PDB file of all heavy atoms in Angstrom:
ATOM      1  N   ASP C  66     225.015  99.242 234.011  1.00 82.00           N
ATOM      2  CA  ASP C  66     224.512  99.334 235.377  1.00 82.00           C
ATOM      3  C   ASP C  66     224.671 100.748 235.901  1.00 82.00           C
ATOM      4  O   ASP C  66     225.558 101.488 235.492  1.00 82.00           O
ATOM      5  CB  ASP C  66     225.291  98.383 236.284  1.00 82.00           C
ATOM      6  CG  ASP C  66     225.112  96.952 235.844  1.00 82.00           C
ATOM      7  OD1 ASP C  66     224.000  96.620 235.414  1.00 82.00           O
ATOM      8  OD2 ASP C  66     226.102  96.192 235.913  1.00 82.00           O
ATOM      9  N   GLU C  67     223.805 101.083 236.847  1.00 79.00           N
ATOM     10  CA  GLU C  67     223.954 102.355 237.526  1.00 79.00           C
ATOM     11  C   GLU C  67     225.264 102.349 238.302  1.00 79.00           C
ATOM     12  O   GLU C  67     225.698 101.333 238.823  1.00 79.00           O
ATOM     13  CB  GLU C  67     222.811 102.551 238.526  1.00 79.00           C
ATOM     14  CG  GLU C  67     221.442 102.591 237.905  1.00 79.00           C
ATOM     15  CD  GLU C  67     221.033 104.020 237.563  1.00 79.00           C
ATOM     16  OE1 GLU C  67     221.616 104.934 238.155  1.00 79.00           O
ATOM     17  OE2 GLU C  67     220.166 104.187 236.689  1.00 79.00           O
ATOM     18  N   VAL C  68     225.879 103.513 238.365  1.00 75.00           N
ATOM     19  CA  VAL C  68     227.100 103.608 239.154  1.00 75.00           C
ATOM     20  C   VAL C  68     226.731 104.153 240.516  1.00 75.00           C
ATOM     21  O   VAL C  68     225.934 105.086 240.628  1.00 75.00           O
ATOM     22  CB  VAL C  68     228.108 104.545 238.459  1.00 75.00           C
ATOM     23  CG1 VAL C  68     229.321 104.741 239.329  1.00 75.00           C
ATOM     24  CG2 VAL C  68     228.480 103.970 237.131  1.00 75.00           C
ATOM     25  N   GLU C  69     227.311 103.526 241.538  1.00 64.00           N
ATOM     26  CA  GLU C  69     227.041 103.971 242.916  1.00 64.00           C
ATOM     27  C   GLU C  69     227.414 105.440 243.071  1.00 64.00           C
ATOM     28  O   GLU C  69     228.499 105.868 242.661  1.00 64.00           O
ATOM     29  CB  GLU C  69     227.890 103.147 243.882  1.00 64.00           C
ATOM     30  CG  GLU C  69     227.499 101.689 243.955  1.00 64.00           C
ATOM     31  CD  GLU C  69     226.221 101.469 244.748  1.00 64.00           C
ATOM     32  OE1 GLU C  69     226.024 102.237 245.719  1.00 64.00           O
ATOM     33  OE2 GLU C  69     225.437 100.573 244.388  1.00 64.00           O
ATOM     34  N   GLY C  70     226.496 106.201 243.639  1.00 62.00           N
ATOM     35  CA  GLY C  70     226.819 107.566 244.017  1.00 62.00           C
ATOM     36  C   GLY C  70     227.103 108.493 242.849  1.00 62.00           C
ATOM     37  O   GLY C  70     227.738 109.527 243.016  1.00 62.00           O
ATOM     38  N   ALA C  71     226.664 108.117 241.682  1.00 62.00           N
ATOM     39  CA  ALA C  71     226.850 109.029 240.556  1.00 62.00           C
ATOM     40  C   ALA C  71     225.574 109.022 239.743  1.00 62.00           C
ATOM     41  O   ALA C  71     224.744 108.121 239.874  1.00 62.00           O
ATOM     42  CB  ALA C  71     228.030 108.596 239.694  1.00 62.00           C
ATOM     43  N   SER C  72     225.417 110.024 238.889  1.00 69.00           N
ATOM     44  CA  SER C  72     224.172 110.105 238.150  1.00 69.00           C
ATOM     45  C   SER C  72     224.213 109.273 236.875  1.00 69.00           C
ATOM     46  O   SER C  72     223.220 109.125 236.198  1.00 69.00           O
ATOM     47  CB  SER C  72     223.871 111.563 237.803  1.00 69.00           C
ATOM     48  OG  SER C  72     225.015 112.122 237.195  1.00 69.00           O
ATOM     49  N   GLY C  73     225.380 108.740 236.534  1.00 75.00           N
ATOM     50  CA  GLY C  73     225.490 108.045 235.257  1.00 75.00           C
ATOM     51  C   GLY C  73     225.399 106.536 235.409  1.00 75.00           C
ATOM     52  O   GLY C  73     225.260 105.978 236.499  1.00 75.00           O
ATOM     53  N   ARG C  74     225.449 105.896 234.261  1.00 81.00           N
ATOM     54  CA  ARG C  74     225.472 104.439 234.236  1.00 81.00           C
ATOM     55  C   ARG C  74     226.698 104.015 233.449  1.00 81.00           C
ATOM     56  O   ARG C  74     227.132 104.722 232.544  1.00 81.00           O
ATOM     57  CB  ARG C  74     224.229 103.901 233.527  1.00 81.00           C
ATOM     58  CG  ARG C  74     222.945 104.239 234.197  1.00 81.00           C
ATOM     59  CD  ARG C  74     221.773 103.638 233.463  1.00 81.00           C
ATOM     60  NE  ARG C  74     221.783 103.995 232.043  1.00 81.00           N
ATOM     61  CZ  ARG C  74     221.372 103.171 231.088  1.00 81.00           C
ATOM     62  NH1 ARG C  74     220.948 101.967 231.380  1.00 81.00           N
ATOM     63  NH2 ARG C  74     221.395 103.554 229.829  1.00 81.00           N
ATOM     64  N   GLY C  75     227.201 102.841 233.754  1.00 85.00           N
ATOM     65  CA  GLY C  75     228.310 102.352 232.957  1.00 85.00           C
ATOM     66  C   GLY C  75     229.454 101.854 233.814  1.00 85.00           C
ATOM     67  O   GLY C  75     229.323 101.668 235.018  1.00 85.00           O
ATOM     68  N   LEU C  76     230.581 101.645 233.176  1.00 87.00           N
ATOM     69  CA  LEU C  76     231.725 101.153 233.909  1.00 87.00           C
ATOM     70  C   LEU C  76     233.003 101.656 233.248  1.00 87.00           C
ATOM     71  O   LEU C  76     232.985 102.120 232.110  1.00 87.00           O
ATOM     72  CB  LEU C  76     231.731  99.628 233.977  1.00 87.00           C
ATOM     73  CG  LEU C  76     232.142  98.880 232.699  1.00 87.00           C
ATOM     74  CD1 LEU C  76     232.545  97.474 233.066  1.00 87.00           C
ATOM     75  CD2 LEU C  76     231.008  98.857 231.706  1.00 87.00           C
ATOM     76  N   ILE C  77     234.070 101.573 234.011  1.00 88.00           N
ATOM     77  CA  ILE C  77     235.372 101.925 233.480  1.00 88.00           C
ATOM     78  C   ILE C  77     236.060 100.627 233.105  1.00 88.00           C
ATOM     79  O   ILE C  77     236.255  99.761 233.955  1.00 88.00           O
ATOM     80  CB  ILE C  77     236.200 102.671 234.537  1.00 88.00           C
ATOM     81  CG1 ILE C  77     235.453 103.902 235.024  1.00 88.00           C
ATOM     82  CG2 ILE C  77     237.557 103.031 233.986  1.00 88.00           C
ATOM     83  CD1 ILE C  77     235.280 104.955 233.997  1.00 88.00           C
ATOM     84  N   ALA C  78     236.408 100.500 231.843  1.00 87.00           N
ATOM     85  CA  ALA C  78     236.917  99.214 231.377  1.00 87.00           C
ATOM     86  C   ALA C  78     238.390  99.303 231.014  1.00 87.00           C
ATOM     87  O   ALA C  78     238.970 100.399 230.998  1.00 87.00           O
ATOM     88  CB  ALA C  78     236.110  98.766 230.156  1.00 87.00           C
ATOM     89  N   ALA C  79     238.948  98.152 230.710  1.00 86.00           N
ATOM     90  CA  ALA C  79     240.323  98.031 230.220  1.00 86.00           C
ATOM     91  C   ALA C  79     241.309  98.766 231.109  1.00 86.00           C
ATOM     92  O   ALA C  79     242.036  99.646 230.672  1.00 86.00           O
ATOM     93  CB  ALA C  79     240.427  98.511 228.769  1.00 86.00           C
ATOM     94  N   GLU C  80     241.310  98.413 232.375  1.00 88.00           N
ATOM     95  CA  GLU C  80     242.271  98.971 233.326  1.00 88.00           C
ATOM     96  C   GLU C  80     242.187 100.496 233.394  1.00 88.00           C
ATOM     97  O   GLU C  80     243.196 101.190 233.538  1.00 88.00           O
ATOM     98  CB  GLU C  80     243.699  98.564 232.957  1.00 88.00           C
ATOM     99  CG  GLU C  80     243.957  97.066 233.001  1.00 88.00           C
ATOM    100  CD  GLU C  80     244.024  96.542 234.424  1.00 88.00           C
ATOM    101  OE1 GLU C  80     244.577  97.244 235.291  1.00 88.00           O
ATOM    102  OE2 GLU C  80     243.506  95.434 234.681  1.00 88.00           O
ATOM    103  N   GLY C  81     240.982 101.018 233.231  1.00 87.00           N
ATOM    104  CA  GLY C  81     240.828 102.471 233.371  1.00 87.00           C
ATOM    105  C   GLY C  81     241.056 103.235 232.088  1.00 87.00           C
ATOM    106  O   GLY C  81     241.055 104.457 232.103  1.00 87.00           O
ATOM    107  N   ALA C  82     241.256 102.529 230.995  1.00 91.00           N
ATOM    108  CA  ALA C  82     241.538 103.250 229.771  1.00 91.00           C
ATOM    109  C   ALA C  82     240.266 103.775 229.108  1.00 91.00           C
ATOM    110  O   ALA C  82     240.300 104.789 228.422  1.00 91.00           O
ATOM    111  CB  ALA C  82     242.289 102.367 228.790  1.00 91.00           C
ATOM    112  N   ILE C  83     239.167 103.062 229.295  1.00 93.00           N
ATOM    113  CA  ILE C  83     237.954 103.389 228.540  1.00 93.00           C
ATOM    114  C   ILE C  83     236.766 103.490 229.474  1.00 93.00           C
ATOM    115  O   ILE C  83     236.610 102.657 230.381  1.00 93.00           O
ATOM    116  CB  ILE C  83     237.680 102.302 227.485  1.00 93.00           C
ATOM    117  CG1 ILE C  83     238.856 102.226 226.523  1.00 93.00           C
ATOM    118  CG2 ILE C  83     236.413 102.585 226.714  1.00 93.00           C
ATOM    119  CD1 ILE C  83     238.752 101.100 225.561  1.00 93.00           C
ATOM    120  N   ALA C  84     235.944 104.496 229.258  1.00 92.00           N
ATOM    121  CA  ALA C  84     234.716 104.622 230.020  1.00 92.00           C
ATOM    122  C   ALA C  84     233.558 104.187 229.143  1.00 92.00           C
ATOM    123  O   ALA C  84     233.244 104.863 228.167  1.00 92.00           O
ATOM    124  CB  ALA C  84     234.523 106.053 230.475  1.00 92.00           C
ATOM    125  N   VAL C  85     232.976 103.047 229.472  1.00 92.00           N
ATOM    126  CA  VAL C  85     231.795 102.602 228.718  1.00 92.00           C
ATOM    127  C   VAL C  85     230.589 103.107 229.490  1.00 92.00           C
ATOM    128  O   VAL C  85     230.025 102.407 230.313  1.00 92.00           O
ATOM    129  CB  VAL C  85     231.760 101.074 228.594  1.00 92.00           C
ATOM    130  CG1 VAL C  85     230.612 100.655 227.683  1.00 92.00           C
ATOM    131  CG2 VAL C  85     233.060 100.556 228.060  1.00 92.00           C
ATOM    132  N   ASP C  86     230.217 104.371 229.259  1.00 90.00           N
ATOM    133  CA  ASP C  86     229.077 104.922 229.987  1.00 90.00           C
ATOM    134  C   ASP C  86     228.001 105.358 229.013  1.00 90.00           C
ATOM    135  O   ASP C  86     228.128 105.159 227.798  1.00 90.00           O
ATOM    136  CB  ASP C  86     229.535 106.070 230.893  1.00 90.00           C
ATOM    137  CG  ASP C  86     230.269 107.152 230.119  1.00 90.00           C
ATOM    138  OD1 ASP C  86     230.239 107.077 228.878  1.00 90.00           O
ATOM    139  OD2 ASP C  86     230.870 108.032 230.743  1.00 90.00           O
ATOM    140  N   GLY C  87     226.944 105.926 229.549  1.00 89.00           N
ATOM    141  CA  GLY C  87     225.806 106.287 228.716  1.00 89.00           C
ATOM    142  C   GLY C  87     226.192 107.128 227.500  1.00 89.00           C
ATOM    143  O   GLY C  87     225.914 106.749 226.365  1.00 89.00           O
ATOM    144  N   PRO C  88     226.850 108.278 227.736  1.00 91.00           N
ATOM    145  CA  PRO C  88     227.210 109.097 226.574  1.00 91.00           C
ATOM    146  C   PRO C  88     228.074 108.342 225.568  1.00 91.00           C
ATOM    147  O   PRO C  88     227.862 108.461 224.359  1.00 91.00           O
ATOM    148  CB  PRO C  88     227.983 110.256 227.187  1.00 91.00           C
ATOM    149  CG  PRO C  88     227.481 110.344 228.578  1.00 91.00           C
ATOM    150  CD  PRO C  88     227.165 108.948 228.994  1.00 91.00           C
ATOM    151  N   SER C  89     229.031 107.532 226.077  1.00 93.00           N
ATOM    152  CA  SER C  89     229.868 106.776 225.137  1.00 93.00           C
ATOM    153  C   SER C  89     229.014 105.893 224.263  1.00 93.00           C
ATOM    154  O   SER C  89     229.154 105.882 223.039  1.00 93.00           O
ATOM    155  CB  SER C  89     230.837 105.854 225.883  1.00 93.00           C
ATOM    156  OG  SER C  89     231.742 106.596 226.599  1.00 93.00           O
ATOM    157  N   VAL C  90     228.126 105.150 224.906  1.00 93.00           N
ATOM    158  CA  VAL C  90     227.339 104.185 224.152  1.00 93.00           C
ATOM    159  C   VAL C  90     226.417 104.897 223.172  1.00 93.00           C
ATOM    160  O   VAL C  90     226.251 104.475 222.022  1.00 93.00           O
ATOM    161  CB  VAL C  90     226.546 103.281 225.118  1.00 93.00           C
ATOM    162  CG1 VAL C  90     225.645 102.359 224.341  1.00 93.00           C
ATOM    163  CG2 VAL C  90     227.504 102.482 225.966  1.00 93.00           C
ATOM    164  N   PHE C  91     225.855 106.030 223.612  1.00 93.00           N
ATOM    165  CA  PHE C  91     225.014 106.808 222.705  1.00 93.00           C
ATOM    166  C   PHE C  91     225.825 107.224 221.480  1.00 93.00           C
ATOM    167  O   PHE C  91     225.392 107.046 220.334  1.00 93.00           O
ATOM    168  CB  PHE C  91     224.481 108.040 223.436  1.00 93.00           C
ATOM    169  CG  PHE C  91     223.595 108.913 222.586  1.00 93.00           C
ATOM    170  CD1 PHE C  91     222.244 108.632 222.470  1.00 93.00           C
ATOM    171  CD2 PHE C  91     224.105 110.003 221.906  1.00 93.00           C
ATOM    172  CE1 PHE C  91     221.426 109.427 221.690  1.00 93.00           C
ATOM    173  CE2 PHE C  91     223.291 110.799 221.118  1.00 93.00           C
ATOM    174  CZ  PHE C  91     221.947 110.504 221.016  1.00 93.00           C
ATOM    175  N   MET C  92     227.024 107.737 221.739  1.00 94.00           N
ATOM    176  CA  MET C  92     227.830 108.199 220.609  1.00 94.00           C
ATOM    177  C   MET C  92     228.252 107.030 219.730  1.00 94.00           C
ATOM    178  O   MET C  92     228.307 107.163 218.509  1.00 94.00           O
ATOM    179  CB  MET C  92     229.038 108.969 221.111  1.00 94.00           C
ATOM    180  CG  MET C  92     228.662 110.374 221.531  1.00 94.00           C
ATOM    181  SD  MET C  92     230.077 111.366 221.966  1.00 94.00           S
ATOM    182  CE  MET C  92     230.220 111.030 223.691  1.00 94.00           C
ATOM    183  N   TRP C  93     228.548 105.902 220.360  1.00 95.00           N
ATOM    184  CA  TRP C  93     228.896 104.728 219.554  1.00 95.00           C
ATOM    185  C   TRP C  93     227.783 104.399 218.592  1.00 95.00           C
ATOM    186  O   TRP C  93     227.991 104.183 217.400  1.00 95.00           O
ATOM    187  CB  TRP C  93     229.170 103.525 220.459  1.00 95.00           C
ATOM    188  CG  TRP C  93     230.495 103.584 221.149  1.00 95.00           C
ATOM    189  CD1 TRP C  93     231.426 104.568 221.019  1.00 95.00           C
ATOM    190  CD2 TRP C  93     231.018 102.634 222.084  1.00 95.00           C
ATOM    191  NE1 TRP C  93     232.491 104.291 221.817  1.00 95.00           N
ATOM    192  CE2 TRP C  93     232.281 103.106 222.482  1.00 95.00           C
ATOM    193  CE3 TRP C  93     230.547 101.445 222.620  1.00 95.00           C
ATOM    194  CZ2 TRP C  93     233.082 102.432 223.384  1.00 95.00           C
ATOM    195  CZ3 TRP C  93     231.335 100.768 223.525  1.00 95.00           C
ATOM    196  CH2 TRP C  93     232.605 101.256 223.906  1.00 95.00           C
ATOM    197  N   GLY C  94     226.566 104.364 219.147  1.00 95.00           N
ATOM    198  CA  GLY C  94     225.421 104.001 218.314  1.00 95.00           C
ATOM    199  C   GLY C  94     225.278 104.964 217.144  1.00 95.00           C
ATOM    200  O   GLY C  94     225.205 104.558 215.977  1.00 95.00           O
ATOM    201  N   VAL C  95     225.289 106.264 217.464  1.00 95.00           N
ATOM    202  CA  VAL C  95     225.085 107.251 216.404  1.00 95.00           C
ATOM    203  C   VAL C  95     226.232 107.197 215.391  1.00 95.00           C
ATOM    204  O   VAL C  95     226.007 107.204 214.171  1.00 95.00           O
ATOM    205  CB  VAL C  95     224.970 108.658 217.028  1.00 95.00           C
ATOM    206  CG1 VAL C  95     224.849 109.701 215.941  1.00 95.00           C
ATOM    207  CG2 VAL C  95     223.778 108.727 217.946  1.00 95.00           C
ATOM    208  N   LEU C  96     227.442 107.081 215.917  1.00 96.00           N
ATOM    209  CA  LEU C  96     228.611 107.007 215.039  1.00 96.00           C
ATOM    210  C   LEU C  96     228.511 105.832 214.085  1.00 96.00           C
ATOM    211  O   LEU C  96     228.800 105.953 212.892  1.00 96.00           O
ATOM    212  CB  LEU C  96     229.860 106.809 215.881  1.00 96.00           C
ATOM    213  CG  LEU C  96     230.759 108.001 216.098  1.00 96.00           C
ATOM    214  CD1 LEU C  96     231.863 107.659 217.059  1.00 96.00           C
ATOM    215  CD2 LEU C  96     231.334 108.455 214.784  1.00 96.00           C
TER     216      LEU C  96
END
Side-chain angles (χ1 to χ4, degrees):
Chain C
D66 298 323
E67 298 268 339
V68 175
E69 292 285 326
S72 51
R74 297 182 307 145
L76 75 161
I77 304 293
E80 297 287 322
I83 300 173
V85 186
D86 56 10
S89 294
V90 175
F91 180 85
M92 282 186 270
W93 284 359
V95 177
L96 256 174

